[in-house]
């Protein structure tokens, strides 16, 4: 009789301990799922970034909905007649729909395109042959509006789609001097992914780590 009672007590204790342990695990999982990770560092692939670095900080204001961000990338496009070096900087703020710093968000930011053009075949007349390229700059800014989605967890994925508003000319005008001859030029811009006369198309995927 005493043996049966002792086994019953042991069984009850095991069941209670199992229920308590299971409850603790569920609480930890629930806490981790609602944990706000305030720093996001990663990379983005797409237009106009091609590939670049990305940083975001989720501020503890308005229920963790405001998140300033900073993106940077650089790339080059070369042809026989022109070499083009780009750097793209974008900064602004994301507004998340929930209080976890992830999920759907809208974004408002400023994009800065800095472009160095190196012309290898300008016509100065008099049968002059260029022994070195002629350099000029072509820079413009955009106002970027985007809609995006970001996953939660320590490793995140991100998707963004939007448009950068700007008036972008089809050509670049500049004055160059070579061989004692100074001449005005108006050259067509090389094709740049996503860029039109009304602005730039924005579409990218990203991934990285959250802390």
């Amino acid at each position: 009789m005493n043996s049966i009672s002792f086994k019953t007590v042991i069984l009850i204790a095991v069941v209670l301990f199992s229920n308590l342990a299971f409850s603790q695990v569920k609480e930890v999982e629930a806490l981790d799922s609602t944990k706000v990770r305030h720093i996001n560092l990663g990379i983005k692939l797409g237009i106009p970034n091609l590939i670049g670095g990305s940083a975001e900080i989720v501020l503890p204001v308005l229920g963790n909905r405001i998140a300033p961000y900073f993106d940077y990338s650089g790339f080059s496009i070369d042809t026989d007649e022109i070499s083009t070096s780009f750097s793209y900087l974008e900064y602004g703020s994301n507004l998340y729909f929930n209080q976890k710093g992830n999920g759907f968000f809208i974004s408002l930011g400023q994009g800065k395109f800095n472009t160095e053009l190196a012309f290898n075949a300008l016509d100065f007349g008099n049968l002059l042959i260029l022994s070195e390229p002629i350099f000029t700059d072509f820079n413009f800014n955009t106002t970027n509006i985007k809609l995006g989605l970001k996953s939660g967890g320590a490793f995140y994925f991100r998707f963004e789609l939007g448009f950068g508003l700007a008036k972008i000319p089809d050509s670049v005008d500049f004055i160059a001097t070579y061989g004692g001859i100074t001449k005005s030029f108006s050259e067509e811009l090389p094709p740049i992914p996503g860029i039109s006369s009304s602005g730039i198309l924005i579409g990218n995927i990203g991934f990285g780590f959250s802390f």
Side-chain angles (χ1 to χ4, degrees):
M1 190 71 178
N2 291 336
S3 177
I4 296 176
S5 299
F6 181 72
K7 289 181 179 179
T8 302
V9 171
I10 294 296
L11 180 60
I12 293 174
V14 170
V15 171
L16 291 176
F17 178 78
S18 299
N19 287 337
L20 179 61
F22 181 76
S23 299
Q24 292 294 323
V25 170
K26 296 299 290 183
E27 289 179 4
V28 171
E29 290 179 348
L31 181 62
D32 186 66
S33 65
T34 58
K35 178 181 179 181
V36 178
R37 302 178 186 274
H38 290 278
I39 299 177
N40 303 307
L41 299 176
I43 63 174
K44 287 183 178 180
L45 306 170
I47 299 174
N49 309 69
L50 289 190
I51 181 171
S54 176
E56 179 187 47
I57 299 177
V58 180
L59 300 179
V61 295
L62 294 180
N64 303 303
R65 288 186 170 90
I66 303 297
Y69 69 89
F70 176 91
D71 299 339
Y72 181 81
S73 62
F75 55 95
S76 299
I77 299 176
D78 296 332
T79 66
D80 292 337
E81 295 184 352
I82 182 173
S83 299
T84 310
S85 298
F86 302 93
S87 66
Y88 178 69
L89 169 67
E90 182 182 350
Y91 57 89
S93 183
N94 298 323
L95 175 63
Y96 285 94
F97 294 171
N98 65 28
Q99 298 183 12
K100 301 177 183 179
N102 58 46
F104 285 100
F105 63 88
I106 57 175
S107 177
L108 180 63
Q110 181 85 13
K112 292 183 177 295
F113 248 104
N114 293 325
T115 310
E116 183 182 68
L117 305 173
F119 292 94
N120 302 313
L122 293 179
D123 181 11
F124 280 87
N126 296 334
L127 301 179
L128 283 176
I129 299 177
L130 292 179
S131 60
E132 58 185 24
I134 301 297
F135 292 92
T136 190
D137 294 330
F138 178 73
N139 306 322
F140 62 90
N141 300 333
T142 61
T143 299
N144 297 347
I145 303 173
K146 299 179 293 184
L147 178 65
L149 176 65
K150 175 183 170 292
S151 67
F155 185 80
Y156 72 84
F157 287 94
R158 178 194 301 272
F159 171 76
E160 295 179 338
L161 185 64
F163 196 79
L165 301 172
K167 292 183 178 180
I168 303 175
D170 296 326
S171 61
V172 56
D173 300 326
F174 61 98
I175 298 174
T177 300
Y178 183 78
I181 299 175
T182 299
K183 189 175 180 180
S184 297
F185 293 90
S186 181
E187 299 290 326
E188 290 187 359
L189 292 173
I192 303 173
I195 292 184
S196 66
S197 60
S198 58
I200 61 173
L201 176 66
I202 300 172
N204 61 67
I205 60 173
F207 54 89
F209 294 95
S210 300
F211 307 93

